[in-house]
């Protein structure tokens, strides 16, 4: 019975990795569209977001079957419960990547290619999502804590981008609408970082049972 349960748990981990990879891909493609002005990529982000939604439902179903058909011990129970929480955050990451893509379609071909901070912020959020899911699969508290610490880096990028956009609006009021669109995109990246932190905190709970950060 335990062997069967372990097989199912391993399959759950695989599906979590697959869902995390879809999230990474959605963010990466949205970032490429933003930096290079490749509006045609935005449809791909929408498609991936739909795949993420399907994966969320599949994982939710698997988790519920594990809870109902097996008798997981305390740590297993925490791991399955954490997965159920995490997929909600991953689904929202997909939604926010899609929101970024939607804004890009309104930019009229303008790009953020010259903004090093935007590129770096996007890359940082991708890394946070990757590491948070890896931390779950490996049950690695140290890696989860690293994700949480990197949230300050993403917040720092947001502040830099916000300040630079304020200067753009002041110097070139005609670029105001474009600057506000970029600010909204940066805000979505910041939210993606927040969701990665939520995932990391649930990893810590699944290993330690400590819910102090998951209020």
């Amino acid at each position: 019975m335990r062997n069967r349960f372990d097989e199912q748990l391993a399959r759950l981990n695989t599906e979590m990795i697959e869902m995390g990879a879809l999230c990474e891909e959605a963010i990466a493609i949205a970032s490429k569209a933003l930096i290079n002005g490749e509006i045609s990529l935005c449809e791909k982000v929408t498609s991936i977001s739909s795949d993420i939604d399907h994966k969320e439902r599949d994982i939710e179903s698997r988790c519920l079957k594990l809870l109902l058909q097996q008798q997981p011990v305390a740590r297993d129970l925490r791991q399955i419960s954490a997965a159920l929480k995490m997929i909600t955050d991953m689904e929202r990451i997909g939604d926010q990547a899609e929101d970024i893509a939607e804004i890009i379609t309104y930019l009229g071909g303008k790009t953020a290619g010259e903004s090093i901070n935007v590129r770096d912020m996007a890359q940082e959020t991708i890394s946070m999502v990757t590491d948070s899911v890896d931390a779950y699969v490996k049950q690695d508290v140290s890696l989860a804590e690293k994700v949480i610490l990197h949230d300050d880096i993403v917040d720092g990028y947001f502040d830099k981008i916000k300040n630079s956009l304020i200067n753009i609006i002041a110097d070139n009021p005609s670029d105001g609408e474009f600057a506000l669109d970029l600010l909204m995109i940066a805000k979505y990246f910041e939210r993606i970082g927040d969701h990665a932190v939520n995932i990391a905190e649930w990893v810590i709970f699944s290993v330690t049972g400590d819910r102090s950060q998951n209020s």
Side-chain angles (χ1 to χ4, degrees):
M1 181 68 74
R2 179 67 204 189
N3 288 342
R4 174 63 177 166
F5 179 81
D6 287 342
E7 289 174 3
Q8 292 295 315
L9 206 56
R11 181 57 195 163
L12 171 61
N13 286 347
T14 298
E15 291 188 345
M16 294 291 288
I17 292 171
E18 292 170 353
M19 188 173 181
L22 287 171
C23 291
E24 295 164 38
E25 186 180 7
I27 304 167
I29 293 175
S31 300
K32 184 178 180 181
L34 174 65
I35 292 166
N36 299 334
E38 298 182 51
I39 297 177
S40 60
L41 292 175
C42 295
E43 291 183 4
K44 178 65 174 175
V45 177
T46 299
S47 176
I48 295 171
S49 180
S50 178
D51 291 340
I52 290 171
D53 291 343
H54 289 302
K55 184 65 72 175
E56 180 192 24
R57 290 192 288 272
D58 290 344
I59 293 174
E60 183 179 50
S61 177
R62 183 173 297 277
C63 287
L64 293 176
K65 287 179 181 178
L66 281 169
L67 292 172
L68 293 172
Q69 296 176 2
Q70 308 291 338
Q71 293 181 334
V73 297
R75 180 160 176 167
D76 295 330
L77 183 59
R78 292 199 304 269
Q79 187 173 354
I80 297 167
S81 299
L84 283 168
K85 295 290 187 179
M86 289 167 59
I87 58 175
T88 298
D89 281 294
M90 285 196 279
E91 189 272 336
R92 288 174 182 168
I93 287 171
D95 286 346
Q96 284 155 6
E98 187 176 10
D99 289 335
I100 291 170
E102 183 178 358
I103 293 174
I104 292 169
T105 64
Y106 300 139
L107 296 182
K110 292 184 178 180
T111 75
E114 296 181 0
S115 176
I116 295 174
N117 286 326
V118 171
R119 293 201 300 271
D120 288 347
M121 186 181 192
Q123 188 56 55
E124 188 68 31
T125 56
I126 293 171
S127 296
M128 287 177 70
V129 172
T130 301
D131 287 346
S132 64
V133 177
D134 284 349
Y136 170 81
V137 173
K138 298 173 183 176
Q139 294 289 276
D140 188 334
V141 170
S142 295
L143 186 56
E145 290 173 341
K146 173 189 170 185
V147 172
I148 295 170
L149 291 174
H150 275 243
D151 190 43
D152 287 339
I153 297 175
V154 170
D155 290 345
Y157 281 131
F158 177 75
D159 289 338
K160 290 178 183 178
I161 292 167
K162 180 175 66 176
N163 290 333
S164 68
L165 292 175
I166 289 172
N167 291 332
I168 288 174
I169 294 172
D171 295 339
N172 300 288
S174 61
D175 288 333
E177 185 174 352
F178 173 64
L180 290 174
D181 284 336
L182 285 185
L183 182 62
M184 182 58 69
I185 287 171
K187 188 63 180 177
Y188 282 129
F189 279 128
E190 183 189 39
R191 289 176 182 171
I192 289 170
D194 289 341
H195 288 303
V197 168
N198 289 345
I199 293 169
E201 289 178 348
W202 281 110
V203 170
I204 294 171
F205 162 72
S206 72
V207 176
T208 67
D210 181 8
R211 296 192 61 178
S212 59
Q213 299 185 75
N214 299 91
S215 56

